[in-house]
Amino acid sequence: MSTNDYINRFLFDDTDIRGEIVAIEDTFQAAYQHQTFPKALTPIFGDFLAGAALLAEVLKFEGTLTLQARGQGNVALIMAETNHEGHLRGILRLQPDADSSAMSFDDISLPQLLGNGVLTITIEPNKGKRYQGIIAITNNTLAECLQDYFSNSEQLPTQIQLYSDAGRCGGLFLQCLPKQLVTDEEKREDLWQTAKQLAMTLSAKELFELENEQVLLRLFHEMQCRVFDAKPIVFRCSCSKERSGNALKSIGYDDAQALLQERDIISIDCEFCGKVYHFGEKDLDEIFERKNNLLH
Ligand SMILES: [Zn+2]
């Protein structure tokens, strides 16, 4: 069993503190191999994948969660999408006029990359209402943005640590739930501070080279840490010919026909997984329901 590509929930006995830990390697590499962004941006892309995986596990729902940042900077879009089954995919898109060769992305903060960016968390449950949280990107890192979001919107003290390099990404999430097991304020604060400080000692090396369970035992050996079963995280794309066809539908029959005349066949690449879908005359007829129209 590989040490990575798993997420585990955990809690500390007799406290109101819970957490999650995730380390992702193969899934991360599968997700970025279809991306064309400059290499220096890989860790930022990794942060979004790890962040989405942690949020989906924290928020407990059946459906899709999307973590997306948009802006007017050199980076136009960073998006990670996951679901309750641990399927994960993402894209990072530069502005069409961004000069990636001239740009150095080293040590560039999110506001610099995205310029007046906005972060959205969207949850689309299989059943029930869609939820969307919107955060102005004012902090330098995704971890800080998300941490503020939880602390402000849910009013729950939260600590989020994200670790990404050129081939691995992951993170640690800690949250103090409302009073249940510990009611004494001072004791609550004490436990929270201890857990936070111990979590901060985590290194990327530990996170990526040890099993999640080992990492937690090492970090929190002085607290009673209860670790739940690991859930696999896998790269899986939900694209289909039908969905790609919708993109053609949006440009209209005449433009799609013109495109087809020009190229003999229309090819649409999936930005997430690189799969190519081809559309010919017959496909256009189906997409635009031409046959039906002719029959009537
Ligand atoms: Zn795809």
Side-chain angles (χ1 to χ4, degrees):
M1 181 161 136
S2 151
T3 55
N4 291 330
D5 295 277
Y6 288 98
I7 188 162
N8 289 80
R9 288 185 191 174
F10 61 90
L11 54 77
F12 302 113
D13 283 348
D14 306 319
T15 76
D16 294 316
I17 304 169
R18 62 164 177 178
E20 259 107 48
I21 183 168
V22 69
I24 306 169
E25 189 164 356
D26 291 351
T27 302
F28 180 29
Q29 291 171 16
Y32 79 59
Q33 70 165 330
H34 306 288
Q35 304 299 310
T36 52
F37 55 74
K39 267 208 160 60
L41 292 174
T42 311
I44 296 221
F45 184 60
D47 277 359
F48 274 76
L49 292 180
L54 286 173
L55 291 191
E57 200 62 12
V58 171
L59 298 169
K60 293 181 195 152
F61 63 95
E62 285 205 2
T64 309
L65 178 141
T66 312
L67 180 61
Q68 177 174 294
R70 277 183 188 278
Q72 277 84 47
N74 280 323
V75 173
L77 172 74
I78 315 173
M79 179 195 186
E81 191 188 273
T82 187
N83 62 14
H84 59 282
E85 292 177 282
H87 299 166
L88 186 62
R89 63 175 194 166
I91 46 174
L92 190 155
R93 207 185 281 153
L94 299 183
Q95 296 289 359
D97 57 355
D99 178 5
S100 59
S101 59
M103 277 188 285
S104 159
F105 290 105
D106 292 338
D107 288 330
I108 288 186
S109 66
L110 276 188
Q112 274 179 290
L113 286 176
L114 289 152
N116 286 326
V118 173
L119 188 66
T120 48
I121 301 170
T122 309
I123 297 166
E124 284 178 86
N126 292 344
K127 287 176 201 154
K129 262 173 70 183
R130 183 171 184 264
Y131 165 86
Q132 191 160 61
I134 300 177
I135 314 157
I137 299 175
T138 48
N139 290 300
N140 284 342
T141 66
L142 178 65
E144 290 166 334
C145 291
L146 295 176
Q147 192 169 293
D148 276 6
Y149 173 75
F150 275 96
S151 304
N152 297 331
S153 71
E154 289 199 26
Q155 312 252 310
L156 299 174
T158 303
Q159 176 164 291
I160 300 177
Q161 295 157 247
L162 295 173
Y163 299 77
S164 303
D165 60 23
R168 301 168 300 189
C169 64
L172 187 64
F173 179 99
L174 272 188
Q175 192 165 60
C176 188
L177 296 172
K179 278 181 201 163
Q180 201 181 351
L181 299 173
V182 184
T183 48
D184 180 74
E185 278 300 339
E186 207 173 310
K187 195 173 173 214
R188 277 177 72 80
E189 186 57 25
D190 245 24
L191 285 164
W192 176 238
Q193 290 304 331
T194 306
K196 264 184 13 173
Q197 276 157 23
L198 293 172
M200 289 300 285
T201 64
L202 174 65
S203 70
K205 191 175 157 60
E206 282 175 309
L207 178 63
F208 296 129
E209 291 179 8
L210 300 173
E211 304 266 352
N212 289 346
E213 206 163 340
Q214 279 177 286
V215 175
L216 294 172
L217 290 177
R218 222 186 234 213
L219 284 180
F220 302 113
H221 58 85
E222 56 189 86
M223 297 175 86
Q224 293 281 323
C225 184
R226 191 180 295 270
V227 187
F228 296 95
D229 286 347
K231 187 173 104 179
I233 301 286
V234 290
F235 175 72
R236 183 91 31 106
C237 191
S238 52
C239 67
S240 65
K241 185 162 181 177
E242 194 189 340
R243 285 196 188 178
S244 295
N246 287 338
L248 275 181
K249 204 169 186 172
S250 68
I251 67 167
Y253 181 74
D254 291 344
D255 283 354
Q257 260 303 337
L259 211 58
L260 187 62
Q261 298 309 323
E262 211 175 274
R263 306 178 183 182
D264 295 335
I265 193 139
I266 302 173
S267 305
I268 300 183
D269 300 14
C270 172
E271 275 189 281
F272 291 94
C273 71
K275 196 165 175 181
V276 186
Y277 295 97
H278 301 290
F279 297 88
E281 189 74 51
K282 234 177 111 188
D283 298 306
L284 288 198
D285 284 346
E286 265 171 40
I287 290 169
F288 293 96
E289 293 163 11
R290 296 286 288 188
K291 249 180 214 151
N292 293 343
N293 292 345
L294 292 175
L295 287 174
H296 288 135

